[in-house]
């Protein structure tokens, strides 16, 4: 009996099975991928071979795509935006899931917009314009590092050698402009800059190129950055050689376009000679078995370069993305674009173009691809760029192209190839960073300076102030030579000797010769480019530092207040005639004379004998009483009398000098001033003088808020003196002058009766002014520091600023009438010589008598205490015996010696002599 089934139930069950149980996708036999690029170009010729080889290898690998084959469809863009766009539409019409290319950044911009509109991935292996990573182009991927990455390497190289300014020469298109913009950004991070830009068209003729490079020669920097597409003709170096720009003064740094050009062609000796000294970048392709197999397979093709390796990896990357798409059950389907249906009927037939329905999913899969290709790790980072590779630093000389080092983002520079891309910790410009020897333009190995300041044909124009006062600092000789001289000029000339290159220059004075010039105007002319630098007594203040670059200060300065000298401490006025040093010497002299006279008189003069306390009192009173010519004790020794004669003469001269000097000080004593410094001066309403043309006026008015009506401009030291003597109550007079310390030191050295009150304020320094970002400012700062380590700076200061009196300049309140030790140096030398001679004669007499006494002891066999066996103890006892002997009276010693002589003539007196000889031992 058959089983009956309701037809309705059977149809319903079939529909449920279809809806619930998913069907496996049908894997296509062939998947089309497109490629649009310039076939007949340096990169295109190698890329075409690499792409074809990659498709062949993918199709031969059964682990990828699992039976599905890739079909590569290529269109020639010819480096033309129109042809590139047309080629992209041609490929889309043939149902491609993704397009590889283009090489040109200009073409890539246009096709990226097409990819954005039709939602298909556009993967480039050679378009390096950094702006293609913008959010504007979401379907653009790049399997090669963009130019921002290699500009980072190039800037590190520039910073490694200490260059701060460069000149960029680049193609005037998206590749060149945007690449140089990235270079500018990287230089800014290192506080460097592009001083001049030379944009060149692909169609620029030799005359245009010559004029452009010639114009750049007038700019100071000599470091040239070259950024183009690969150029087999290398014509820029021909022009540079004709213009004598391939010499030791110049540096030529090229991005990786040069290595691609050289790797893709045979370089003869003529080419190497043209490129001698050029340094460039080359993408580092790690050595691996895959690389060897690939190069062996394409050994017949000599146009291989780094971009060909990236093209090979691009095909594999797309294959892995398609494989992930198919493994998720996504069918490869295409449909017409509704956006292009309105173009129906046109000759372009855009309505026939189909787009890949799963383009966004494929893009997502591609961004997650991570594998090791022949060019290195293929993994996408920010901006849909493959994570940056390392670079080789190449150098061209007459023998060939050599690798002198490597650069990595994390590890910096090294001689050996980096092992891994991210294994090293980032240590910028540490002690481990180094490169091999580089041959620079001209064939030398010494690093070029990288810029020139001036040459003999166009020397550095330096403006100097034509001063009418304080000409010791800067002065123009008023004769036919008109030579510029002075303290500041000599410092500048000596500092230039420490600059490691020649700097031709000429001085040009600024000012009318009747009044000192305004220094702010002088600085402004340097800012405006009228002059290259300014040399003189130029104070470094914030307002000027915003306009120019100053060198290291070569002189410290600050503002001080000068007033007429007043006696503001009459309590201790009696100490002023002598300096502190002289007072100390006089006091020590009294003590020394006291000791010497006591030693010479102690044995023969009863007034200098007795208990120790009495002897000390007598000694001190005797010495100091000589000041008043009244001594209760008389000297008996001839040696003491000789010392006293010289001492009394010296004391007479000191007393007379003291009396005369004190009288002079008391005569010129004046009432004390109410001005004690800048604070009291600011609080008052008295007129204040300042030096015309300096920053003092600006500081007093804007910073301290003083009324301009109180300020009196003065031009010379004569006007300084006249205004201070007139005082604040007379017309043209001032109560005080505010000026910089070096000027005031010079003023006080030439004129007396004035003093500095208070402490210096607004501490500043004098420096040399240069144009903004001038490298000479840095080198001159280093030179000034080296100069300060020598004695030359002090010698220059002594030559110009110490003509009158430099010893007293460190004293804030110098006393012009004070007497110094050097005034009595001769008298002291005579006194010391006679005193020391008398003391030596006395000591020799004592030694002679003591030796005689010891002989007499041994001859008479006198009893004495047992001697110690230790030599040190015996020496100690001998010294004590000598001291006791010297302490005895002279008369007793002589009496003992007379009796000893008599005993030698009459033996019956021996017992009596023995009894007497015991006297000195008690």
């Amino acid at each position: 009996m058959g089983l009956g089934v309701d037809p309705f139930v059977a149809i319903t069950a079939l529909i449920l099975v279809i809806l619930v149980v998913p069907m496996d996708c049908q894997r296509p036999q062939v998947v089309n991928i497109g490629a649009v690029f310039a076939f007949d170009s340096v990169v295109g010729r190698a890329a075409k071979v690499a792409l074809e080889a990659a498709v062949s290898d993918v199709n031969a690998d059964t682990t990828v795509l699992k039976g599905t084959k890739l079909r590569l469809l290529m269109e020639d863009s010819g480096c033309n935006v129109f042809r590139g766009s047309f080629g992209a539409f041609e490929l889309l019409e043939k149902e491609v899931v993704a397009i590889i290319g283009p090489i040109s950044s200009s073409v890539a911009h246009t096709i990226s917009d097409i990819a954005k509109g039709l939602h298909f991935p556009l993967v480039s292996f050679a378009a390096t314009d950094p702006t293609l990573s913008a959010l504007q182009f979401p379907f653009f991927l790049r399997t090669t590092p963009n130019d921002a990455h290699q500009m980072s390497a190039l800037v590190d190289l520039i910073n490694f050698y200490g260059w701060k300014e460069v000149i960029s020469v680049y193609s005037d298109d998206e590749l060149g402009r945007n690449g140089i913009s990235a270079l500018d950004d990287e230089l800014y991070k290192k506080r460097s800059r592009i001083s001049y830009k030379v944009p060149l068209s692909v169609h620029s003729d030799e005359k245009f190129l010559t004029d452009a490079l010639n114009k750049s020669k007038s700019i100071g920097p000599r470091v040239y950055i070259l950024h183009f597409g690969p150029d087999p003709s290398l014509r820029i170096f021909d022009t540079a050689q004709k213009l004598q720009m391939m010499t030791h003064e110049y540096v030529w740094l090229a991005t990786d376009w040069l290595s691609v050009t050289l790797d893709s062609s045979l370089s003869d000796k003529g080419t190497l000679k043209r490129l001698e000294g050029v340094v460039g970048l080359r993408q580092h392709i790690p050595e691996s078995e895959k690389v060897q197999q690939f190069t062996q397979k394409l050994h017949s093709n000599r146009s291989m370069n780094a971009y060909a390796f990236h093209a090979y990896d691009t095909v594999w990357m797309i294959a892995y993305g398609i494989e992930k798409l198919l493994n998720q059950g996504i069918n490869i389907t295409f449909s017409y674009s509704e956006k292009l249906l309105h173009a129906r009927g046109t000759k372009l037939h855009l309505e026939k173009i189909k787009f890949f329905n799963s383009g966004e999913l494929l893009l997502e899969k591609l961004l997650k691809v991570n594998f090791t290709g022949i060019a290195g790790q293929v993994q996408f980072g920010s901006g849909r760029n493959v994570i940056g590779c390392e670079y080789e630093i190449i150098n061209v000389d007459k023998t060939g192209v050599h690798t002198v080092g490597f650069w990595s983002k994390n590890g910096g520079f090294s001689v050996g190839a980096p092992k891994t891309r991210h294994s090293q910790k980032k240590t910028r410009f540490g002690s481990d960073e180094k490169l091999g020897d580089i041959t620079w333009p001209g064939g030398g190995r010494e690093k070029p300076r990288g810029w020139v300041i001036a040459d003999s044909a166009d020397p550095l124009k330096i403006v100097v102030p034509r001063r009418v006062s304080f000409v010791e600092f800067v002065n123009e000789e008023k004769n036919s030579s008109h030579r510029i001289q002075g303290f500041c000029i000599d410092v500048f000339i000596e500092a230039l000797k420490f600059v490691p290159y020649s700097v031709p220059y000429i001085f040009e004075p600024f000012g009318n010769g009747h009044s000192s010039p305004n220094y702010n105007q002088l600085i402004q002319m340097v800012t405006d480019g009228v002059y290259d630098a300014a040399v003189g007594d130029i104070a470094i203040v914030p307002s000027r530092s915003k306009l120019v670059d100053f060198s290291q200060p070569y002189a410290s300065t600050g503002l001080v207040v000068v007033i007429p000298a007043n006696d503001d401490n009459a309590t201790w006025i009696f100490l002023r005639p002598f300096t502190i040093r002289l007072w100390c010497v006089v006091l020590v002299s009294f003590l020394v004379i006291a000791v010497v006279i006591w030693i010479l008189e102690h044995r023969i003069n009863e007034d200098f004998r007795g208990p120790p306390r009495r002897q000390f009192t007598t000694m001190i009173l005797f010495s100091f009483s000589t000041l008043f010519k009244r001594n209760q004790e008389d000297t008996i020794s001839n040696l003491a009398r000789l010392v006293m004669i010289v001492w009394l003469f010296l004391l007479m001269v000191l007393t007379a000098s003291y009396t005369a000097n004190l009288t002079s000080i008391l005569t010129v004593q004046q009432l004390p001033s109410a001005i004690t410094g800048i604070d009291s001066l600011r609080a008052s309403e008295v007129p204040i003088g300042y030096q015309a043309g300096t920053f003092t006026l600006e500081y007093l008015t804007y910073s301290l808020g003083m009324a301009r009506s109180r300020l009196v401009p003065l031009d010379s030291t004569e006007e300084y003196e006249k205004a201070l003597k007139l005082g604040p109550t007379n017309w043209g007079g001032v109560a005080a002058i505010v000026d910089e310390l070096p000027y005031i030191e010079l003023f006080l050295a030439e004129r007396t009766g004035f003093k500095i009150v208070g402490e210096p304020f607004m501490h500043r320094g004098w420096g040399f002014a240069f144009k903004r970002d001038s490298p000479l400012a840095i080198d001159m700062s280093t030179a000034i520091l080296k100069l300060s380590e020598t004695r030359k700076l002090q010698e220059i200061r002594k030559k110009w600023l110490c003509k009158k009196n430099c010893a007293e300049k460190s004293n804030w309140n110098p006393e012009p009438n004070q007497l110094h030790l050097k005034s009595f140096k001769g008298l002291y030398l005579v006194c010391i010589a006679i005193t020391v001679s008398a003391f030596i004669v006395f000591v020799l007499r004592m030694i002679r008598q003591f030796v005689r006494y010891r002989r007499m002891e041994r001859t008479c066999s006198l009893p004495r205490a047992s001697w110690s066996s230790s030599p040190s103890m015996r020496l100690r006892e001998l010294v004590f015996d000598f001291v006791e002997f010297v302490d005895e009276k002279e008369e007793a010693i002589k009496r003992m010696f007379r009796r000893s002589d008599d005993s030698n003539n009459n033996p019956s007196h021996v017992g009596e002599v023995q009894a007497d000889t015991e006297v000195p031992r008690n």
Side-chain angles (χ1 to χ4, degrees):
M1 185 171 101
L3 183 62
V5 179
D6 188 353
F8 176 77
V9 174
I11 294 174
T12 302
L14 179 62
I15 293 174
L16 290 175
V17 170
I18 294 174
L19 293 176
V20 175
V21 180
M23 296 178 60
D24 290 340
C25 71
Q26 184 67 33
R27 277 183 173 265
Q29 294 185 352
V30 176
V31 175
N32 295 331
I33 59 174
V36 54
F37 58 91
F39 294 168
D40 190 18
S41 64
V42 173
V43 175
R45 286 189 290 269
K48 185 176 181 181
V49 177
L51 290 173
E52 293 172 345
V55 171
S56 175
D57 290 345
V58 169
N59 291 334
D61 192 339
T62 57
T63 61
V64 182
L65 295 180
K66 299 180 177 64
T68 300
K69 301 296 184 182
L70 285 183
R71 178 188 297 159
L72 178 64
L73 307 174
M74 293 187 288
E75 292 289 339
D76 186 5
S77 67
C79 292
N80 182 280
V81 174
F82 176 75
R83 290 185 60 184
S85 302
F86 188 78
F89 284 123
E90 288 284 337
L91 292 174
L92 291 173
E93 192 175 350
K94 299 175 182 178
E95 297 185 351
V96 295
V97 297
I99 294 181
I100 299 174
I103 296 172
S104 168
S105 295
S106 300
V107 178
H109 274 273
T110 303
I111 301 181
S112 294
D113 278 326
I114 298 175
K116 176 183 177 181
L118 298 180
H119 292 202
F120 66 87
L122 177 65
V123 187
S124 177
F125 56 86
T128 57
D129 178 5
T131 62
L132 288 169
S133 300
L135 297 176
Q136 178 185 356
F137 309 113
F139 284 82
F140 178 84
L141 290 79
R142 185 162 24 208
T143 56
T144 187
N146 65 18
D147 281 338
H149 185 68
Q150 73 166 329
M151 292 305 174
S152 178
L154 201 59
V155 169
D156 280 355
L157 183 64
I158 294 169
N159 201 37
F160 182 81
Y161 285 106
W163 299 311
K164 292 297 181 182
E165 295 187 43
V166 300
I167 294 176
S168 60
V169 185
Y170 57 95
S171 57
D172 193 12
D173 55 14
E174 281 82 355
L175 170 70
R177 288 191 299 270
N178 296 328
I180 293 302
S181 177
L183 172 67
D184 208 359
D185 293 341
E186 293 295 327
L187 285 171
Y188 179 79
K189 296 176 185 177
K190 304 293 184 180
R191 302 190 68 178
S192 303
R193 68 188 186 102
I194 300 175
S195 298
Y196 188 70
K197 295 181 179 180
V198 183
L200 299 176
S201 170
V202 179
H203 306 292
S204 297
D205 57 15
E206 185 176 354
K207 182 180 183 304
F208 182 88
L209 185 58
T210 301
D211 293 341
L213 290 182
N214 239 336
K215 189 175 181 180
S216 71
K217 290 176 66 177
S218 62
I219 312 298
R222 290 292 183 263
V223 180
Y224 284 78
I225 308 299
L226 306 178
H227 184 54
F228 309 101
D231 180 16
S233 64
L234 301 172
R235 58 192 182 120
I236 189 170
F237 296 107
D238 293 329
T239 305
Q241 200 166 38
K242 292 176 183 178
L243 296 176
Q244 302 296 317
M245 296 175 69
M246 298 297 292
T247 60
H248 67 282
E249 291 183 348
Y250 290 84
V251 177
W252 294 90
L253 305 178
T255 52
D256 64 353
W257 70 270
L258 180 63
S259 62
V260 170
T261 302
L262 296 177
D263 292 342
S264 302
S265 59
L266 294 175
S267 301
D268 55 15
K269 293 183 178 180
T271 301
L272 296 176
K273 185 177 181 181
R274 280 187 297 166
L275 301 178
E276 183 182 25
V278 178
V279 177
L281 301 178
R282 174 195 282 151
Q283 292 188 34
H284 175 60
I285 306 299
E287 291 292 335
S288 65
E289 185 178 351
K290 292 181 179 180
V291 174
Q292 294 179 357
Q293 293 175 353
F294 180 72
T295 52
Q296 289 175 0
K297 183 184 298 185
L298 304 177
H299 182 70
S300 59
N301 191 303
R302 297 180 177 179
S303 62
M304 284 296 106
N305 52 62
Y307 291 108
F309 292 102
H310 289 302
Y312 183 89
D313 288 342
T314 300
V315 174
W316 279 91
M317 185 267 294
I318 294 175
Y320 284 128
I322 295 173
E323 174 65 16
K324 290 184 178 182
L325 199 68
L326 294 177
N327 288 340
Q328 287 189 353
I330 306 299
N331 287 318
I332 306 298
T333 60
F334 298 85
S335 61
Y336 294 104
S337 173
E338 295 181 1
K339 300 177 182 179
L340 299 179
L341 291 179
H342 69 278
R344 185 186 305 273
T346 62
K347 294 183 179 181
L348 295 177
H349 300 292
L350 297 179
E351 72 280 1
K352 296 182 179 180
I353 294 176
K354 295 182 179 181
F355 69 94
F356 181 39
N357 292 324
S358 303
E360 293 184 7
L361 288 176
L362 178 59
L363 175 66
E364 182 182 339
K365 303 303 179 185
L366 293 178
L367 290 174
K368 294 180 180 179
V369 168
N370 185 359
F371 72 100
T372 301
I374 60 174
Q377 193 71 17
V378 179
Q379 180 183 0
F380 289 94
S382 60
R384 303 171 308 282
N385 296 309
V386 71
I387 295 177
C389 67
E390 292 82 23
Y391 283 96
E392 299 176 15
I393 312 301
I394 63 170
N395 179 220
V396 184
D397 61 18
K398 293 180 180 179
T399 62
V401 181
H402 308 282
T403 299
V404 295
F406 298 85
W407 176 90
S408 64
K409 188 71 174 178
N410 296 325
F413 294 105
S414 62
V415 176
K419 294 181 180 180
T420 60
R421 184 170 294 180
H422 309 291
S423 61
Q424 300 179 4
K425 187 177 180 180
K426 189 173 182 178
T427 54
R428 280 283 164 223
F429 303 107
S431 58
D432 295 336
E433 286 199 310
K434 57 183 178 179
L435 292 173
D437 293 334
I438 291 179
T439 301
W440 300 102
R445 291 298 180 92
E446 183 180 357
K447 184 202 78 171
R449 191 169 67 249
W451 56 272
V452 295
I453 287 295
D455 52 34
S456 56
D458 186 21
L460 203 68
K461 290 195 299 182
I462 300 176
V463 61
V464 296
R466 185 186 277 118
R467 296 196 60 91
V468 296
S469 61
F470 300 108
V471 294
E472 290 83 357
F473 296 105
V474 182
N475 181 33
E476 181 186 15
E477 289 187 348
K478 299 184 181 301
N479 52 33
S480 58
S481 66
H482 295 284
R483 188 169 67 93
I484 306 297
Q485 60 180 3
F487 169 75
C488 303
I489 302 301
D490 282 3
V491 172
F492 178 77
I493 293 174
E494 290 298 326
L496 272 184
K497 296 179 181 179
F498 290 92
V499 176
Y501 47 84
S502 175
V503 183
Y505 64 90
I506 55 172
F507 288 127
E508 295 188 9
F510 170 70
N512 56 22
H514 303 293
S515 61
S516 296
N518 188 297
Y519 281 42
N520 288 335
Q521 294 179 7
L522 185 143
I523 293 296
Q524 189 62 47
M525 288 191 295
V526 176
T527 304
D528 296 339
V530 179
Y531 297 101
D532 299 306
V535 171
D537 47 339
I538 305 171
I540 303 174
V541 295
S543 59
R544 296 173 182 174
S545 298
K546 295 177 182 178
L547 303 175
V548 296
D549 283 347
F550 279 99
S551 67
Q552 176 81 12
Y554 62 87
S556 298
T557 183
L559 293 178
V560 292
V561 178
V562 179
I563 63 172
N566 297 320
D567 180 21
D568 51 3
N569 190 9
T571 304
W572 303 101
I573 196 171
F574 70 91
L575 295 175
R576 290 188 183 179
F578 291 167
T579 61
I580 296 177
R581 186 177 181 184
L582 182 55
W583 276 119
C584 293
V585 172
V586 170
L587 179 62
V588 172
S589 300
F590 276 106
L591 298 177
V592 171
I593 289 297
V595 173
V596 171
I597 295 300
W598 178 81
I599 292 174
L600 297 178
E601 291 290 316
H602 177 68
R603 304 185 78 238
I604 61 177
N605 195 334
E606 288 293 339
D607 293 335
F608 291 90
R609 298 185 65 82
R613 183 174 181 180
R614 176 190 171 189
Q615 294 184 50
F616 179 78
T617 304
T618 302
M619 178 177 63
I620 298 300
L621 291 177
F622 175 83
S623 176
F624 282 94
S625 64
T626 58
L627 184 64
F628 308 101
K629 309 296 188 298
R630 298 182 62 184
N631 300 104
Q632 294 181 356
E633 301 82 6
D634 294 327
T635 54
I636 300 175
S637 169
N638 292 330
L639 292 176
R641 290 175 177 174
L642 178 63
V643 172
M644 284 299 297
I645 290 173
V646 181
W647 167 246
L648 289 175
F649 179 73
L650 173 61
L651 198 58
M652 179 190 69
V653 175
L654 285 171
T655 305
S657 301
Y658 174 84
T659 304
N661 205 10
L662 181 60
T663 302
S664 175
I665 292 174
L666 291 174
T667 302
V668 298
Q669 182 178 0
Q670 299 178 9
L671 293 174
S673 172
I675 300 174
T676 58
I678 187 62
D679 293 331
S680 59
L681 191 63
R682 182 182 180 185
S684 66
E685 295 296 332
V686 295
I688 304 169
Y690 69 93
Q691 185 182 170
T694 63
F695 76 98
T696 309
L697 174 63
E698 179 182 347
Y699 178 74
L700 294 178
T701 54
Y702 293 107
S703 298
L704 298 185
M706 294 185 181
R708 189 178 291 266
S709 58
R710 293 178 55 192
L711 306 179
V712 180
L714 304 171
D715 277 324
S716 64
T717 55
E718 292 79 10
E719 292 186 10
Y720 278 24
E721 183 178 23
K722 180 181 178 181
L724 287 171
K725 287 183 176 180
L726 286 173
T729 58
N730 297 313
W731 187 85
V734 296
I737 291 176
V738 178
D739 203 354
E740 292 180 85
L741 182 58
Y743 301 123
I744 298 304
E745 285 182 336
L746 197 59
F747 171 70
L748 295 179
E750 296 175 349
R751 288 167 172 78
T752 59
F754 308 98
K755 65 179 181 180
I756 297 174
V757 292
E759 294 294 328
F761 58 97
M762 200 203 177
H763 295 277
R764 290 292 183 268
W766 287 351
F768 305 127
F770 300 91
K771 291 180 180 179
R772 296 288 291 178
D773 301 320
S774 172
L776 186 57
I778 299 174
D779 290 342
M780 184 59 72
S781 296
T782 304
I784 290 173
L785 292 176
K786 292 180 180 178
L787 180 64
S788 63
E789 295 174 355
T790 68
R791 295 188 58 84
K792 192 65 180 178
L793 201 57
Q794 288 75 14
E795 293 175 3
I796 297 173
R797 179 182 177 84
K798 185 176 180 181
K799 172 185 175 182
W800 288 102
L801 308 183
C802 297
K803 295 180 179 180
K804 300 289 190 301
N805 182 14
C806 236
E808 297 301 322
K809 289 183 180 179
S810 60
N811 193 351
W812 280 150
N813 190 10
E815 184 63 58
N817 297 322
Q818 275 190 325
L819 294 174
H820 299 265
L821 177 61
K822 63 182 179 182
S823 303
F824 308 97
K825 185 176 180 181
L827 280 175
Y828 267 105
L829 290 177
V830 173
C831 185
I832 291 172
I834 293 177
T835 303
V836 172
S837 301
F839 181 76
I840 292 175
V841 170
F842 173 79
V843 172
L844 292 176
R845 287 176 57 190
M846 291 300 99
I847 294 175
R848 174 174 165 273
Q849 290 181 4
F850 183 68
V851 171
R852 183 181 178 185
Y853 167 71
R854 295 301 298 267
R855 288 177 181 173
M856 187 180 66
E857 275 189 332
R858 290 194 295 270
T859 302
C860 297
S861 301
L862 297 176
R864 53 183 295 113
S866 59
W867 286 87
S868 174
S869 60
S870 172
S872 61
M873 293 298 296
R874 293 182 62 183
L875 177 62
R876 182 178 179 184
E877 292 174 358
L878 182 63
V879 172
F880 286 159
D881 287 346
F882 179 74
V883 173
E884 291 178 359
F885 176 79
V886 173
D887 188 55
E888 292 300 327
K889 295 184 63 175
E890 181 81 11
E891 184 180 352
I893 298 299
K894 289 183 178 180
R895 185 171 63 251
M896 182 184 62
F897 286 158
R898 284 196 301 269
R899 292 182 179 179
S900 177
D901 293 340
D902 292 342
S903 66
N904 292 334
N905 297 328
N906 189 357
S908 63
H909 296 162
V910 173
E912 183 180 354
V913 172
Q914 290 176 350
D916 290 340
T917 55
E918 295 177 359
V919 174
R921 304 180 62 86
N922 294 332

